[in-house]
């Protein structure tokens, strides 16, 4: 095993290995470990911080958007409620107007009907009176022709009235 | 490798050979070796990989995601095991993890096809042991720095009955002191074993086709080659897992030092 044999056989072996190991490893430690590594870690840290900040900003924006949406929803609900109220009021008003107009028309119609009925009753009573007069005359004439007795017009009229009743 | 005898030496790949460029440091001869070369290659590859992820875009490209995946993996592991104080140790554990991972993976490159010899730096106990000792030293320094002598309470787990302390404390002490060895040995053994296995199997493939009874040798070769494909995939997994285990255990040990029990 040369790794161990050379330790004793070659007097330059250990010194050379140690010297070059220390030189190379010290170089790596100083240049790479102390020089490059912190810069790379700083880059990684900066990126991590940036990602964390961006995530936080995105979260805040999300919350703001949620709040905005909530407000929008509330506003929408409020305006829908107002619109519904306005519609209900308009409907009520329209119904009341219609009722009022209907009542007025009803009253007019009732008045017309009453007037017409009164007309009809007047016409009927005048017709009845004419019929009585004609019947009384006719009755007087008939009595005069049949028995030659002249009866007073007033008596005939009373008799006709009694018969017609 | 050792072709003159017709045998293939599976251990030859672990041999460190000087590539020149030697100098003297405090009486010790320092040579630039193939091991050093592959460490440098790993460092450059790692540097290029990291550099590709440095564009620092808010929306990352594929490469940046890959790099940030690795950094995030280690920093979340530190966060989970140590807590917010773990960030301080992330550069060390990250360097450790990436260096081991790149060394492990580069050692797996099939560059032998091109005539090059990839070398697995982490298959040497001298390397893994030193890395483990560095981790252990950090644990000791942080532990005594933060807690002073109170750090020794690490050897008395919370809720130990008083009469048990003389027995528990030495056991805990030994298990604590064994940590750097187990840490270094685990990686070294895993890398060595995997590469030896692959080399032995590739020896079967070559020797099978060279066998006198070619039909039998061919069967052996084809079977070995099929097995090699599977084991190579397994070794890629092991390369990642061992780097992860090393980094994970280091983070757990640092947690002991930072938070005691």
């Amino acid at each position: 095993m040369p790794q161990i044999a050379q330790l004793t056989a070659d007097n330059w072996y250990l010194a050379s290995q140690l010297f070059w190991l220390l030189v190379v490893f010290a170089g790596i430690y100083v240049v790479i470990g102390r020089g490059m590594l912190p810069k790379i870690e700083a880059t990684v840290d900066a990126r991590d911080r940036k990602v964390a900040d961006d995530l936080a900003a995105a979260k805040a924006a999300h919350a703001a958007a949620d709040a905005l949406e909530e407000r929008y929803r509330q506003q929408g609900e409020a305006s829908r409620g107002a619109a519904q109220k306005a519609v209900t009021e308009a409907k009520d008003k329209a119904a009341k107007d219609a009722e009022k107009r209907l009542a007025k028309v009803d009253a007019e119609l009732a008045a017309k009907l009453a007037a017409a009925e009164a007309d009809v009753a007047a016409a009927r009573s005048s017709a009845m009176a004419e019929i009585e007069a004609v019947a009384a005359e006719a009755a007087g004439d008939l009595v005069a022709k049949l028995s030659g007795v002249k009866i007073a017009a007033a008596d005939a009229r009373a008799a006709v009235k009694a018969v017609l009743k | 490798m050792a072709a003159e005898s017709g045998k293939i030496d599976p251990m030859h790949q672990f041999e460190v050979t000087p590539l020149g460029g030697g100098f003297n440091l405090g009486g010790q001869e320092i040579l630039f070796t193939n091991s050093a070369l592959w460490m440098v290659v790993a460092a450059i590859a790692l540097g290029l990989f990291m550099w590709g992820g440095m564009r620092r875009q808010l929306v990352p490209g594929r490469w940046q995601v890959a790099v940030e995946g690795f950094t995030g993996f280690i920093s979340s592991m530190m966060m989970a095991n140590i807590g917010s104080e773990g960030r301080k140790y992330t550069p060390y554990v990250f360097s450790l993890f990436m260096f081991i991972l790149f060394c492990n993976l580069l050692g797996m490159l099939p560059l032998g096809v091109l005539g090059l010899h990839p070398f697995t730096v982490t298959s040497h106990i001298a390397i893994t042991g030193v890395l483990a000792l560095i981790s252990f030293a950090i644990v000791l320094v942080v532990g005594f720095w933060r807690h002073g002598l109170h750090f020794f309470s690490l050897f008395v787990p919370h809720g130990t009955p008083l009469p048990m302390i003389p027995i528990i404390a030495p056991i805990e002490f030994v298990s604590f002191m064994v940590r750097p060895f187990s840490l270094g040995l685990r990686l070294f053994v895993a890398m060595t074993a995997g590469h030896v296995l692959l080399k032995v199997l590739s020896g079967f493939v070559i020797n099978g086709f060279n066998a006198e009874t070619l039909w039998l040798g061919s069967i052996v070769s084809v079977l070995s080659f099929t097995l090699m494909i599977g084991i190579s995939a397994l070794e890629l997994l092991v390369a990642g897992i061992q780097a992860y285990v090393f980094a994970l255990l280091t983070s757990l040990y640092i947690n002991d030092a930072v938070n005691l029990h």
Side-chain angles (χ1 to χ4, degrees), chain B:
Chain B
M1 40 183 89
E4 64 275 0
S5 64
K7 284 184 186 166
I8 288 157
D9 176 13
M11 302 310 279
H12 182 265
Q13 56 173 328
F14 299 119
E15 221 154 89
V16 177
T17 48
L19 301 175
F23 60 94
N24 207 307
L25 189 82
Q28 267 295 343
E29 196 187 9
I30 308 279
L31 297 173
F32 190 75
T33 60
N34 54 349
S35 173
L37 173 69
W38 283 95
M39 284 186 231
V40 172
V41 168
I44 290 172
L46 175 56
L48 285 176
F49 174 69
M50 295 295 285
W51 178 75
M54 290 283 288
R55 256 173 268 163
R56 318 197 63 176
Q57 285 165 332
L58 186 63
V59 178
R62 291 180 194 186
W63 199 322
Q64 198 181 336
V65 166
V67 174
E68 282 171 4
F70 278 103
T71 63
F73 174 62
I74 294 297
S75 51
S76 68
M77 183 179 86
M78 298 301 281
M79 198 71 184
N81 287 336
I82 305 179
S84 57
E85 275 181 276
R87 282 201 96 127
K88 253 191 297 184
Y89 308 99
T90 308
Y92 170 67
V93 176
F94 183 74
S95 307
L96 196 62
F97 174 73
M98 294 307 270
F99 177 64
I100 293 172
L101 182 67
F102 271 67
C103 286
N104 289 351
L105 290 177
L106 286 175
M108 292 287 301
L109 287 180
L111 294 179
V113 176
L114 307 173
L116 298 167
H117 292 290
F119 180 87
T120 314
V121 179
T122 43
S123 66
H124 275 244
I125 182 73
I127 301 290
T128 60
V130 169
L131 290 176
L133 282 175
I134 295 173
S135 290
F136 190 65
I138 287 173
V139 168
L140 288 181
V141 168
V142 170
F144 282 114
W145 185 273
R146 290 178 61 97
H147 304 290
L149 293 179
H150 195 61
F151 183 53
F152 285 113
S153 69
L154 192 65
F155 302 133
V156 184
H158 199 67
T160 311
L162 202 61
M164 294 296 283
I165 288 178
I167 304 165
I168 297 282
I171 294 173
E172 287 284 322
F173 179 72
V174 168
S175 86
F176 182 77
M177 294 308 287
V178 159
R179 281 175 181 182
F181 300 101
S182 64
L183 196 58
L185 272 175
R186 185 180 297 113
L187 177 58
F188 151 65
V189 166
M191 286 301 115
T192 304
H195 283 269
V196 167
L197 185 56
L198 282 177
K199 212 60 84 178
V200 167
L201 284 173
S202 58
F204 287 171
V205 175
I206 294 165
N207 287 336
F209 283 128
N210 288 338
E212 284 175 33
T213 46
L214 190 60
W215 67 271
L216 188 62
S218 302
I219 292 172
V220 170
S221 293
V222 169
L223 284 179
S224 300
F225 190 71
T226 315
L227 193 57
M228 269 186 82
I229 294 172
I231 290 181
S232 294
L234 183 70
E235 282 303 306
L236 286 175
L237 184 70
V238 168
I241 286 175
Q242 288 300 328
Y244 170 62
V245 166
F246 204 106
L248 177 70
L249 286 177
T250 298
S251 77
L252 288 175
Y253 296 160
I254 291 176
N255 177 46
D256 275 352
V258 172
N259 299 321
L260 288 179
H261 273 303

Side-chain angles (χ1 to χ4, degrees), chain A residues 59 70 157:
Chain A
K59 221 175 186 175
E70 177 64 21
R157 202 171 296 152

Side-chain angles (χ1 to χ4, degrees), chain A residues 67-150:
Chain A
L68 205 67
E69 198 195 334
E70 177 64 21
R71 215 169 62 202
Y72 168 75
R73 206 173 54 78
Q74 276 173 357
Q75 264 177 6
E77 243 162 51
S79 46
R80 196 160 48 235
Q84 235 155 20
K85 209 173 132 200
V87 167
T88 326
E89 272 172 10
K91 250 189 213 162
D92 281 358
K93 201 168 155 241
K96 260 181 217 154
D97 279 1
E99 223 169 84
K100 228 184 265 170
R101 263 213 309 273
L102 208 61
K104 205 172 136 198
V105 171
D106 266 354
E108 274 171 18
L109 285 180
K112 264 186 193 164
L113 196 63
E117 268 172 3
D119 280 356
V120 168
R124 196 168 152 196
S125 62
S126 73
M128 280 303 267
E130 263 174 45
I131 287 172
E132 262 176 41
V134 171
E137 222 178 78
D141 284 353
L142 277 174
V143 168
K145 268 187 187 155
L146 289 173
S147 59
V149 179
K150 274 204 171 182

